[in-house]
Amino acid sequence: MKGLFGIGTVLGLTVFDLAVKSEIEQKLNLGEERTISNTNVVVRNVHNEGLCLGTCRKNPKFVKISSLVVTGILSIYHLISLRQKREIMKKIGISFVLGGAWSNTIDRWVHGYVVDYIGFSMKNERISRITYNLGDFFIMIGSIILLFRELFKKQEGL
């Protein structure tokens, strides 16, 4: 039963991000952006054909295969960890990382790019151009959970 929770979390996060990406693709033209009222949050439609910040975009085959391999290996590790007793924070952290990783991997294989749609209006133009998706935030949240787990590992049950 506990394993189903972890797998369900991964599937739920993946499907949620893919659904938001689909909405963005339908509602905004490529390159179009809208600022959310009274915030510095910008919603835009950007296609990233590479890895993080567009790295390796000139080698799409590498991007697709490496994304699938890393996500696949992490998925196997996750399935193994779901069988362990305790380790709750590890399971939650990996579930979040995988939810984001699968969403971006599926995008790469289906479309040849990842749909990014969340940006922040900042004084620094270079930083303002960086665009994320929820999957990226899921990966970050999961990584932070795993980092805290390692830092406070001495407490049993984490």
Side-chain angles (χ1 to χ4, degrees), residues 74-89:
L74 189 56
S75 295
I76 292 167
Y77 179 71
H78 186 244
L79 290 172
I80 292 167
S81 76
L82 290 175
R83 299 185 48 83
Q84 297 173 334
K85 294 185 187 242
R86 297 188 175 170
E87 298 290 345
I88 296 162
M89 296 305 285

Side-chain angles (χ1 to χ4, degrees), residues 20-151:
V20 174
K21 289 173 179 179
S22 178
E23 273 297 300
I24 293 296
E25 291 274 76
Q26 291 175 26
K27 305 269 188 217
L28 296 176
N29 294 321
L30 184 61
E32 184 180 353
E33 65 178 53
R34 298 180 189 159
T35 302
I36 296 178
S37 300
N38 301 320
T39 70
N40 67 337
V41 178
V42 179
V43 178
R44 56 176 74 116
N45 184 354
V46 176
H47 293 173
N48 180 358
E49 296 173 353
L51 297 169
C52 182
L53 299 174
T55 57
C56 300
R57 69 177 157 264
K58 293 183 180 180
N59 193 345
K61 188 174 182 178
F62 171 79
V63 170
K64 287 169 80 171
I65 291 172
S66 64
S67 180
L68 184 62
V69 168
V70 170
T71 305
I73 290 169
L74 189 56
S75 295
I76 292 167
Y77 179 71
H78 186 244
L79 290 172
I80 292 167
S81 76
L82 290 175
R83 299 185 48 83
Q84 297 173 334
K85 294 185 187 242
R86 297 188 175 170
E87 298 290 345
I88 296 162
M89 296 305 285
K90 178 173 145 182
K91 294 172 189 177
I92 292 170
I94 296 170
S95 293
F96 269 83
V97 170
L98 275 175
W102 274 117
S103 174
N104 288 340
T105 298
I106 290 168
D107 249 7
R108 286 185 180 103
W109 280 86
V110 171
H111 303 293
Y113 55 83
V114 173
V115 177
D116 289 328
Y117 49 87
I118 302 169
F120 301 95
S121 179
M122 311 286 273
K123 289 181 182 179
N124 184 316
E125 183 61 33
R126 290 180 74 187
I127 294 173
S128 291
R129 284 188 301 217
I130 299 173
T131 310
Y132 310 88
N133 58 52
L134 286 177
D136 298 332
F137 288 107
F138 298 155
I139 292 168
M140 181 181 65
I141 291 165
S143 298
I144 290 169
I145 290 169
L146 292 169
L147 174 66
F148 277 108
R149 176 194 167 265
E150 286 301 312
L151 292 173

